[in-house]
Amino acid sequence: MNVPIGKLTAIGGGLSLLLILLAAFSPWIAPLDPLDQSFLTANQGPTAEHWFGTDAFGRDVLSRVLFGGRVSLAIGILAPLLSALAGIWAGMLAGYLGGWTDRLLSRSSDLLMSFPTLLLGVMIAAALGPSFQSAVIAIAVALFPRFVRLSRSATQVVRREPFIDASIAAGRGTASIVLRHVLPNIAGPLVVALSLWIATAIRLEAALSFLGLGAQPPAPSWGNMIRDGMSDLVGDPWPAAFAGAAITISVLAFNMVGDALRDLLDPETGL
Amino acid sequence: MTGYILRRLLEVVPTILLVLTLVFFALRIMPGDPAVAALGEFAAPDAIDRFREKLGLNQPLYAQYFAFLAQALTGNFGNSMNNGAPIGDLLAQALPYTIALALAATAIGIAIGLPLGAMTAVHRGGKIDAFGRFFALIGFSLPDFYFGVLLLLAFSLHLDWFPMLGGGKGFLDQLHHLVLPAITLGLVMAAFVMRLTRSSLLEVLKRDYVRTARGKGVAEHLVIFKHALRNALIPVTTGMGIYLLTTLSGTITVELVFSRPGLGTLLIGGVSARDYTLVQAGLVVFAFFVVVVNLATDLLCAAIDPRIALR
């Protein structure tokens, strides 16, 4: 721990927030229309007019990176949130109820867990056919078992606490206990996991759209910008280079937030 | 131990069955008719009917399901919808490239990650440790395919040290083609192996038997290599077994970057050509790899640490 945790959290958090804001307000920030083509200005490196250069169709790369961030970050944040919403509930029920609910949910999430996230994502997106929705579904399903497992094991610990027995004795229903007493007590590790898995999801989305399985052109996403840029890397490496840098910085930012939060909440595992 | 192996082997059966079922239904809920997708929207209705009949798509769902299971279990996937080539042949051509890439990357990952991880743990808080942290941060944030694009740009397109496109002909040429893709995936894996080795070794160095060894005057390098590192390698082995699958999925994007033949290229090509039978077969093969590697990792771990078999 040479760098103070607060500083890392601030840098990572600030960077993440900045990226989200840039993507959200891209229609107002972007200098040009990301779909505007002009063959007169095709394949230019960075200039005063086009800070990040232009692509093979003369489209402004800076505007495309900004607009691409909308798609990439939207999927990268939406998919883990959906996954968390379903996975946390499933995990809490499995951990709280035990018995066959637990066996069924644990076994099926173990099975899904045996697949690496990228492979599972590619398999699902390949089966569903390429689109924005497939990418969201593929990433959400790939992360789902991880949320189930985490919230299940955290719930099992909380379940043994005396205040749960007290609530049962006081006549509270299962749903109410899980919502009011279990959820707040397991929220810490879940928030850490969520920020780390947003980083994973951004990387997954990039890989899927790089493979042509995510958001479809002409709408830019960081992954499909690299894919498009591959056709003329020698002549014009700028679109691929800047899109890749955007992915790397976003993943780094969310990873920093997650790591810092983890060290903050659980200093032991941060070794 | 024998009981554990048998039990673990038996567990594979429902897993494979479930995976095959998922693949089957995932492809069936895909929007659109595969016959229309393959022949185009304006194909003649009787051509579509013939196509459906040829693929067995006019059969009831359960009949298709059992036919699919039989195909998957015998490894006979029929012919590609697009060019008519037997899918078994296509897979047999692609597999060696993917396996070579995954293994070469793993070798690089271990060769760099293991020593680096051990050094960062021994010199905790020092300069090497700081470098290791930085290396891991980059390794965890830089997407492997983007790293591949950068390597391709620098060493293939500008310096012209390494070829791109294809897998090469003859052993040396193939090796030459393998270098950049293997380094791409290998360095990313090295970051993972490094972090795993570091945390595992730090954990072991806190143990009583390490203190005992130091206390009775064993030389420090012997303490590290004989007492600590050997024990630290148990979780590293498990972790690497699982990571082998991550590397395998990484081959999909990296093959595309380097225009290299392989399973990923075949699967993604199948998706963009809407070659339904090819996609189906590709998914089954990847799923099969996952099951086999997980099984092998479990058995290896039980062999290293017999206590696992008793649980």
Side-chain angles (χ1 to χ4, degrees):
Chain A
M1 293 300 100
N2 350 14
V3 189
I5 291 163
K7 213 172 179 179
L8 268 182
T9 323
I11 298 172
L15 201 56
S16 308
L17 196 66
L18 179 71
L19 288 163
I20 293 173
L21 289 177
L22 281 177
F25 293 105
S26 54
W28 295 277
I29 298 168
L32 292 160
D33 185 329
L35 301 180
D36 245 2
Q37 304 188 2
S38 159
F39 289 98
L40 295 173
T41 58
N43 289 335
Q44 284 180 352
T47 58
E49 200 179 339
H50 302 284
W51 290 4
F52 286 5
T54 57
D55 70 2
F57 296 101
R59 298 176 295 198
D60 183 52
V61 174
L62 174 59
S63 305
R64 286 181 71 72
V65 168
L66 287 169
F67 271 88
R70 301 194 103 181
V71 175
S72 299
L73 292 180
I75 297 180
I77 293 171
L78 187 66
L81 279 179
L82 280 176
S83 191
L85 211 61
I88 290 172
W89 272 106
M92 285 197 302
L93 284 181
Y96 186 83
L97 295 176
W100 67 264
T101 322
D102 184 27
R103 273 198 294 279
L104 185 74
L105 283 164
S106 309
R107 273 302 160 97
S108 44
S109 54
D110 278 354
L111 178 76
L112 284 175
M113 282 275 279
S114 66
F115 286 74
T117 44
L118 175 62
L119 188 56
L120 199 56
V122 168
M123 289 176 74
I124 295 168
L128 293 177
S131 73
F132 182 96
Q133 289 92 324
S134 310
V136 174
I137 295 172
I139 295 170
V141 174
L143 295 178
F144 173 74
R146 283 147 179 95
F147 280 105
V148 175
R149 186 181 270 195
L150 186 66
S151 67
R152 171 180 175 265
S153 58
T155 304
Q156 281 177 331
V157 176
V158 178
R159 175 81 181 82
R160 287 192 283 269
E161 298 285 341
F163 61 79
I164 299 288
D165 288 333
S167 304
I168 297 172
R172 269 186 183 266
T174 304
S176 154
I177 293 176
V178 168
L179 193 66
R180 299 287 286 274
H181 295 297
V182 177
L183 189 59
N185 280 294
I186 65 170
L190 289 173
V191 170
V192 174
L194 186 62
S195 56
L196 288 174
W197 284 328
I198 286 177
T200 305
I202 294 171
R203 226 170 33 173
L204 279 178
E205 190 282 329
L208 289 180
S209 57
F210 173 71
L211 290 171
L213 298 175
Q216 294 299 299
S221 79
W222 292 336
N224 76 26
M225 285 179 71
I226 299 185
R227 180 187 175 84
D228 289 347
M230 289 294 293
S231 55
D232 187 19
L233 265 186
V234 187
D236 186 11
W238 300 106
F242 281 115
I247 302 167
T248 311
I249 292 170
S250 314
V251 175
L252 194 67
F254 282 99
N255 265 335
M256 275 164 76
V257 176
D259 276 345
L261 283 177
R262 183 176 53 198
D263 290 347
L264 210 62
L265 291 167
D266 180 13
E268 273 301 298
T269 51
L271 274 174
Chain B
M1 189 70 190
T2 325
Y4 176 75
I5 295 175
L6 279 178
R7 202 169 69 230
R8 200 54 196 78
L9 278 173
L10 273 181
E11 275 174 16
V12 168
V13 178
T15 310
I16 288 191
L17 209 60
L18 196 61
V19 167
L20 289 178
T21 310
L22 285 178
V23 168
F24 178 83
F25 285 105
L27 281 167
R28 288 331 183 262
I29 57 169
M30 178 165 108
D33 185 330
V36 177
L39 299 177
E41 255 174 81
F42 305 107
D46 61 315
I48 288 185
D49 282 344
R50 255 179 296 150
F51 192 86
R52 292 176 64 89
E53 197 174 334
K54 204 173 118 200
L55 283 175
L57 292 171
N58 53 351
Q59 309 252 332
L61 204 58
Y62 71 89
Q64 288 186 42
Y65 177 64
F66 287 113
F68 167 70
L69 283 189
Q71 276 188 343
L73 294 176
T74 54
N76 170 24
F77 293 106
N79 296 332
S80 157
M81 261 171 38
N82 268 41
N83 53 19
I87 288 177
D89 292 358
L90 293 175
L91 289 174
Q93 281 163 13
L95 262 177
Y97 289 103
T98 300
I99 292 176
L101 176 54
L103 290 183
T106 305
I108 292 173
I110 294 172
I112 295 174
L114 212 57
L116 197 60
M119 279 196 290
T120 53
V122 173
H123 302 283
R124 187 180 175 192
K127 276 196 180 123
I128 293 186
D129 197 19
F131 169 76
R133 272 179 159 261
F134 177 72
F135 179 68
L137 197 63
I138 298 295
F140 283 108
S141 303
L142 195 67
D144 43 16
F145 65 93
Y146 179 53
F147 183 44
V149 169
L150 296 179
L151 289 181
L152 180 77
L153 201 58
F155 296 104
S156 196
L157 295 174
H158 283 287
L159 294 172
D160 203 19
W161 290 354
F162 296 100
M164 59 178 297
L165 294 172
K169 289 197 174 61
F171 181 69
L172 281 180
D173 191 33
Q174 284 185 345
L175 215 55
H176 200 191
H177 277 82
L178 185 60
V179 176
L180 281 187
I183 289 178
T184 304
L185 285 172
L187 280 182
V188 175
M189 183 169 186
F192 171 82
V193 176
M194 188 212 89
R195 206 147 97 160
L196 200 61
T197 311
R198 180 179 184 275
S199 61
S200 172
L201 189 56
L202 281 177
E203 193 58 43
V204 170
L205 284 173
K206 282 194 295 198
R207 297 273 172 83
D208 286 343
Y209 58 79
V210 170
R211 199 177 48 193
T212 308
R214 280 183 178 146
K216 70 181 186 189
V218 176
E220 185 63 17
H221 70 274
L222 286 181
V223 174
I224 304 279
F225 286 104
K226 268 190 102 168
H227 294 257
L229 197 57
R230 280 192 191 180
N231 283 298
L233 285 184
I234 297 174
V236 175
T237 311
T238 329
M240 272 187 317
I242 294 163
Y243 202 81
L244 182 61
L245 289 174
T246 304
T247 302
L248 183 74
S249 43
T251 62
I252 302 174
T253 47
V254 169
E255 279 170 3
L256 190 69
V257 171
F258 292 95
S259 315
R260 190 182 153 79
L263 270 186
T265 306
L266 203 62
L267 177 67
I268 299 304
V271 173
S272 52
R274 300 180 176 223
D275 193 333
Y276 188 72
T277 45
L278 186 57
V279 172
Q280 186 165 283
L283 295 182
V284 170
V285 174
F286 272 112
F288 179 74
F289 266 114
V290 172
V291 173
V292 169
V293 171
N294 280 324
L295 177 68
T297 308
D298 280 2
L299 294 184
L300 187 66
C301 289
I304 296 175
D305 185 356
R307 283 170 302 178
I308 291 171
L310 298 174
R311 266 180 224 151

